[in-house]
Amino acid sequence: MTKQVNTTEESTKVFKALADPIRLEIIRYLNQLGHEVSCGEVGRVLAISKTSGSYHFKILQEAGLITAHKVAREKYVALDRSTFDQYLTHFWQNF
Amino acid sequence: MTKQVNTTEESTKVFKALADPIRLEIIRYLNQLGHEVSCGEVGRVLAISKTSGSYHFKILQEAGLITAHKVAREKYVALDRSTFDQYLTHFWQNF
DNA sequence: TAGATAGTTCAAAACATTTTGAACTATATT
DNA sequence: AATATAGTTCAAAATGTTTTGAACTATCTA
């Protein structure tokens, strides 16, 4: 056990990150795949410009909803399910 | 069983409603109380202007996060926990 | 080395949300 | 009837978010 409750500020950041159709589609795609992919692949599949993609991945990352690591030129992203658990699945427990 | 999955549009509406510190504080207060209260009381407790309160309650209501009914002059609101269950607690099931 | 590919950064433009105050409806109190 | 209270609506102002294109860094390929 590491934490008691989510502050309003933290929760706001997570819900803001979830409050956009493009980001929900990114999450949907990462969830379907079930493994990490490059930002480029996600962008091609969902037809997002690379600048816009870069912006959305940053928002998701700063909210802790995805993890990312760079391999040479490419950035690989995957869902961080523990954050979804903390803020969504266990919403009432941590609220 | 009434529904299979949440569309991106519906989910966006719910997460937008949750993505604001004032609205999260309203939800927090309604959750603590555990019973319905008038908008006026919530506004006084959280020190929100009545116009701003009216706006935020509308957003919460349109997202289905609260139920409301009028009794004479006053509007009573309470959390609609089934919506929280559908979009948060059972996020992955309905996604 | 030159050109291509993956992604980031920046500032401006476009767009969306929130706050404010005034005017309003409806109900309650004196 | 006059005044007060609870809440809504409207338009303008203030803020905040997202998109866009150009310029950039770093890595890869020929």
Side-chain angles (χ1 to χ4, degrees), chain A residues 16 20 22-23 49-52 55-56 59 72-73:
Chain A
K16 270 181 199 250
D20 178 275
I22 292 185
R23 292 194 292 270
S49 77
K50 70 181 175 167
T51 316
S52 171
Y55 169 71
H56 288 297
I59 299 281
R73 280 187 304 188

Side-chain angles (χ1 to χ4, degrees), chain A residues 41-85:
Chain A
E41 175 181 330
V42 179
R44 275 187 301 280
V45 171
L46 304 182
I48 301 164
S49 77
K50 70 181 175 167
T51 316
S52 171
S54 189
Y55 169 71
H56 288 297
F57 286 115
K58 187 173 151 203
I59 299 281
L60 289 169
Q61 206 175 340
E62 288 178 347
L65 292 167
I66 60 173
T67 56
H69 70 280
K70 229 172 174 176
V71 174
R73 280 187 304 188
E74 294 171 298
K75 181 178 179 177
Y76 287 90
V77 294
L79 296 181
D80 185 341
R81 290 173 190 276
S82 68
T83 304
F84 287 80
D85 288 352

